[in-house]
Amino acid sequence: MGTEAKKQIIDVGDGAAIPRKSDRGLFTAWRIAFFGAIGTIGYLVWSKPDPYLNIIKFVPDGIAVTFQVTLGAILLAIVIGLVTGLGRISKNRFFNGVASLYVEVIRGIPLLVQIFYIYYALGTIVKVPAILSAIIAMAVCYGAYMGEVVRAGIESIAKGQREAALSLGMNGRQTMIHVILPQAVKVILPPVGNEFIALLKDSSLVSIIAVADLLRRGREYASESFTYFETYTVIALIYLIITLFFSKIIGVMEERVSVNK
Amino acid sequence: MSTNSRRKMVEAKEIIKVYGSFRALDRVSLDIYDGEKVVIIGPSGSGKSTLLRSINRLEEIDRGTIVVDGMDLYDPKTDITKVREEVGMVFQSFNLFPHKTVLENLTLAQTVVRKRSKQEAEEKAMMLLERVGLAAKAKSYPGKLSGGQQQRVAIARSLAMDPKLMLFDEPTSALDPEMIGEVLDVMKDLAKEGMTMAVVTHEMGFAREVADRVIFMDAGRIVEEGTPEHFFTAPTHERAKLFLSQIL
């Protein structure tokens, strides 16, 4: 509950500490990894078109699906996280209790198990496409983490802000909408970016429930051509390039926000 | 001048506030009359801020009653936001909204709470900024202002709601010495215009000049109460004598 724990929730990044702010030189870890990965793929395709070029041609559909799942899940997770975060700080005992229970339960179950569970549980009630149940599963899981990010962000806003708004006659809702949340967004943005990248990587888990994402497409290709090593090399490099690309964008966004302060 | 014939703006009776086993307020009663300027002084931890903050219910009391402008704060039928609309508050740490410009700081509650039009709110805001000498800073963000300027904006922000009573919680304690004067000047002007004010401060010069009544608190109680002349020249209570000897 102390500031230590709060800080952790805000600062902890799942690999998104790359690029570090201190990385200024030409050969930063980020540049070596990013351009190295692109160069490696380029070299492999050029030197051994079969199977590498074939693999490259086969997987783009999967990349699109990976993005669909990631984007859909993160947007839904932000909505769930906002409601959960508000619930966690709510004085309404029911709302607070439900939100806390949700966070505790979700954080205690592995994501892979949740994906299976939601896929088959949903399947017994309604017939939904695998991709939709994948998005829901990812969002339900990440919504819990996002809820903690939102809660920490709101709690990081000084108590005086709330008091000033209340003393002007604003009610709790007006205070939240006009004073607290606009300031909390700036605090929340970097950890949300980290969650996005973590979710992007974790989205590979949905390949297990017949969603044709990047990993799934790779497995399909590999099992037909028996080029397991080559295929998974390319898949790993593509994930690496995508992840590094977004971590860079998020790093830049973070800097913008802190400068505009 | 008989203050008893005037209307009571604040009527606090026998209020008790407890933090754990510590009594922050110990059966404090205080009336503030319409137009009166009350200055509350005392050593730190004596309960003066707690008393002030209980008047607009930023601090919940455990016992007693507080009636502000005819509204009982703890009557379930009372809408506390209605009370707060009438009671302005200025904080030690200014508490301006950093994500809004100076002008927006002044118009936010006017439009959201008082439901004034944007134009009306901005006219009112500019008039008040003019009055505290900061019209030129209307488009600036609070972070670009000095402490003294921020506090003047904070006062203007409260005044924009047309309060009937203004509470000041150590408004100059966080300021560099050279900025204290500009804030006190704004408060003195406000006092001259007849605003009802309750001020917690360590500025004894201000207390002498402006106060109708000085209240001295110690250990959660009001131990001495009187006109500034009486209080500063002939305090009766030992604790008050000691306090004055330490700070004057």
Side-chain angles (χ1 to χ4, degrees):
Chain A
M1 249 315 274
T3 48
E4 195 95 7
K6 248 188 243 171
K7 210 175 179 142
Q8 224 179 30
I9 289 162
I10 294 292
D11 286 347
V12 157
D14 193 350
I18 304 167
R20 254 179 271 134
K21 287 204 174 66
S22 56
D23 289 347
R24 291 276 180 229
L26 191 59
F27 295 103
T28 61
W30 184 88
R31 285 187 182 170
I32 293 169
F34 186 70
F35 295 109
I38 289 177
T40 306
I41 288 187
Y43 174 75
L44 290 172
V45 167
W46 171 75
S47 65
K48 279 177 77 181
D50 180 32
Y52 288 110
L53 187 58
N54 297 335
I55 298 169
I56 290 288
K57 282 180 181 163
F58 192 78
V59 297
D61 293 357
I63 296 178
V65 170
T66 290
F67 277 131
Q68 277 173 28
V69 171
T70 306
L71 219 61
I74 195 82
L75 292 178
L76 196 54
I78 287 171
V79 175
I80 296 174
L82 197 58
V83 175
T84 309
L86 290 172
R88 293 271 284 148
I89 56 162
S90 171
K91 286 199 186 110
N92 181 322
R93 289 179 81 174
F94 176 75
F95 191 28
N96 188 315
V98 170
S100 301
L101 186 66
Y102 163 65
V103 171
E104 288 302 333
V105 168
I106 293 300
R107 292 211 294 192
I109 301 174
L111 177 52
L112 188 55
V113 177
Q114 289 179 42
I115 290 170
F116 272 130
Y117 188 82
I118 288 183
Y119 181 58
Y120 290 110
L122 270 181
T124 61
I125 311 164
V126 278
K127 192 92 187 99
V128 292
I131 185 163
L132 188 61
S133 98
I135 288 174
I136 292 172
M138 303 284 301
V140 165
C141 175
Y142 272 78
Y145 293 93
M146 211 66 95
E148 290 305 276
V149 168
V150 169
R151 181 186 62 79
I154 288 172
E155 285 177 350
S156 76
I157 304 304
K159 196 169 120 241
Q161 289 292 307
R162 187 182 151 74
E163 290 186 346
L166 292 179
S167 77
L168 289 165
M170 293 165 78
N171 62 32
R173 196 178 51 84
Q174 291 163 340
T175 300
M176 193 51 79
I177 292 172
H178 295 286
V179 177
I180 307 296
L181 282 182
Q183 296 184 66
V185 163
K186 287 189 179 179
V187 183
I188 289 170
L189 207 58
V192 166
N194 296 347
E195 293 294 315
F196 174 78
I197 287 168
L199 199 154
L200 182 74
K201 289 185 288 183
D202 279 351
S203 76
S204 60
L205 291 172
V206 305
S207 62
I208 212 91
I209 55 165
V211 175
D213 75 330
L214 177 55
L215 179 59
R216 178 89 179 189
R217 289 290 281 174
R219 212 168 59 191
E220 283 169 12
Y221 186 88
S223 61
E224 269 172 36
S225 63
F226 299 104
T227 51
Y228 289 98
F229 171 72
E230 293 85 347
T231 307
Y232 286 124
T233 301
V234 172
I235 297 295
L237 287 170
I238 292 176
Y239 270 115
L240 181 61
I241 290 167
I242 295 173
T243 308
L244 287 171
F245 175 75
F246 280 107
S247 73
K248 183 76 172 178
I249 287 185
I250 287 159
V252 170
M253 269 165 55
E254 233 172 275
E255 242 166 68
R256 287 260 169 90
V257 169
S258 61
V259 165
N260 283 348
K261 202 168 176 254
Chain B
M1 185 170 61
S2 158
T3 51
N4 290 334
S5 62
R6 283 193 279 169
R7 208 170 65 95
K8 281 178 187 172
M9 183 61 77
V10 177
E11 200 173 356
K13 277 208 190 92
E14 297 276 304
I15 59 179
I16 295 177
K17 169 75 188 179
V18 187
Y19 294 114
S21 61
F22 174 69
R23 279 204 171 187
L25 293 176
D26 190 5
R27 295 174 51 220
V28 172
S29 295
L30 170 69
D31 292 343
I32 301 174
Y33 293 88
D34 209 359
E36 196 181 17
K37 291 100 185 87
V38 175
V39 171
I40 305 166
I41 59 179
S44 61
S46 60
K48 36 190 209 311
S49 282
T50 308
L51 174 60
L52 196 75
R53 288 161 53 85
S54 65
I55 294 174
N56 64 354
R57 216 177 146 175
L58 281 185
E59 210 74 66
E60 300 273 331
I61 59 169
D62 295 300
R63 282 239 192 108
T65 58
I66 304 177
V67 178
V68 176
D69 194 28
M71 294 177 274
D72 182 343
L73 297 199
Y74 289 87
D75 182 341
K77 288 195 287 285
T78 301
D79 179 358
I80 188 64
T81 63
K82 291 277 170 262
V83 179
R84 288 173 180 154
E85 282 179 40
E86 311 299 333
V87 181
M89 185 164 215
V90 175
F91 301 86
Q92 180 177 348
S93 50
F94 329 133
N95 295 346
L96 292 178
F97 307 134
H99 61 301
K100 295 198 175 286
T101 63
V102 165
L103 186 68
E104 288 164 351
N105 263 276
L106 267 71
T107 56
L108 178 63
Q110 288 192 70
T111 51
V112 170
V113 179
R114 289 267 194 237
K115 307 291 179 203
R116 290 174 188 156
S117 72
K118 186 163 179 269
Q119 195 200 346
E120 193 187 348
E122 285 184 355
E123 279 169 16
K124 175 106 196 161
M126 286 312 296
M127 189 196 82
L128 285 163
L129 286 176
E130 200 80 55
R131 199 164 123 192
V132 300
L134 289 168
K137 299 284 185 188
K139 299 278 184 238
S140 303
Y141 282 88
K144 304 277 182 222
L145 272 55
S146 73
Q149 290 172 331
Q150 288 193 46
Q151 194 61 299
R152 280 144 68 198
V153 171
I155 294 171
R157 178 175 70 177
S158 285
L159 293 176
M161 295 297 284
D162 296 313
K164 295 178 180 167
L165 164 69
M166 284 286 284
L167 308 173
F168 293 86
D169 189 5
E170 302 201 25
T172 57
S173 296
L175 295 176
D176 290 334
E178 73 270 21
M179 292 171 183
I180 291 175
E182 62 190 68
V183 172
L184 292 181
D185 286 344
V186 170
M187 290 168 65
K188 285 174 196 165
D189 285 345
L190 199 57
K192 273 184 214 130
E193 286 160 27
M195 176 63 77
T196 311
M197 293 162 72
V199 184
V200 171
T201 187
H202 297 293
E203 294 296 324
M204 296 304 140
F206 176 83
R208 251 174 211 247
E209 189 182 332
V210 174
D212 295 317
R213 184 154 47 113
V214 174
I215 287 170
F216 178 78
M217 289 186 74
D218 185 47
R221 289 164 181 260
I222 293 176
V223 294
E224 181 125 16
E225 187 171 359
T227 61
E229 301 85 68
H230 163 79
F231 180 76
F232 286 109
T233 52
T236 47
H237 197 276
E238 274 312 314
R239 197 64 191 78
K241 281 181 196 168
L242 180 66
F243 180 75
L244 285 175
S245 72
Q246 280 165 343
I247 58 154
L248 288 181

